[in-house]
Amino acid sequence: MAIARIKKNDTVIAISGNDAGKTGTVMSVDTKKGTAIVGGLNVHKKAVRRTENQAGGLIEREFPIRLCKLMPYDAEKKCGTRVRTGEKDGKKARVAVKSGKAL
């Protein structure tokens, strides 16, 4: 079970692998497998069969990437940041360690 430091619609940066240094938006997270699908990261070509609704051929598609290879992206500092829980406006929130802003 992975820590919930990355959630859907977060902007993340890849810290290792072929896409290291690239950023994208999280489309879905699977905490049981410890993976996430991120728009623009880990893109591969996949062969699909023709159906009634869709033409066949090669399509480019995002595949799951491990959560340990992703970090939340801090737009203010323009780099990845660790996350801690804290209070913002009297509510529990995820807070970026580098800038102190709520995510």
Side-chain angles (χ1 to χ4, degrees), residues 10-102:
D10 281 353
T11 302
V12 294
I13 186 169
I15 56 175
S16 66
N18 293 339
D19 294 325
K22 293 182 184 176
T23 60
T25 305
V26 177
M27 296 190 294
S28 67
V29 177
D30 186 357
T31 54
K32 289 190 178 183
K33 291 183 181 177
T35 60
I37 295 177
V38 182
L41 294 181
N42 202 23
V43 177
H44 295 288
K45 289 188 178 183
K46 179 178 172 146
V48 292
R49 189 178 295 257
R50 184 185 73 233
T51 63
E52 292 178 7
N53 301 330
Q54 144 185 359
L58 292 173
I59 61 166
E60 287 192 348
R61 161 175 182 215
E62 291 89 1
F63 280 79
I65 187 168
R66 301 285 302 177
L67 289 175
C68 62
K69 296 180 181 241
L70 300 173
M71 262 184 129
Y73 184 72
D74 192 355
E76 187 174 295
K77 299 280 184 175
K78 303 229 186 289
C79 61
T81 184
R82 294 186 307 274
V83 175
R84 76 172 44 120
T85 56
E87 285 194 19
K88 288 287 182 182
D89 302 326
K91 293 184 179 179
K92 187 175 175 182
R94 295 178 304 142
V95 178
V97 171
K98 289 193 177 183
S99 66
K101 302 255 179 171

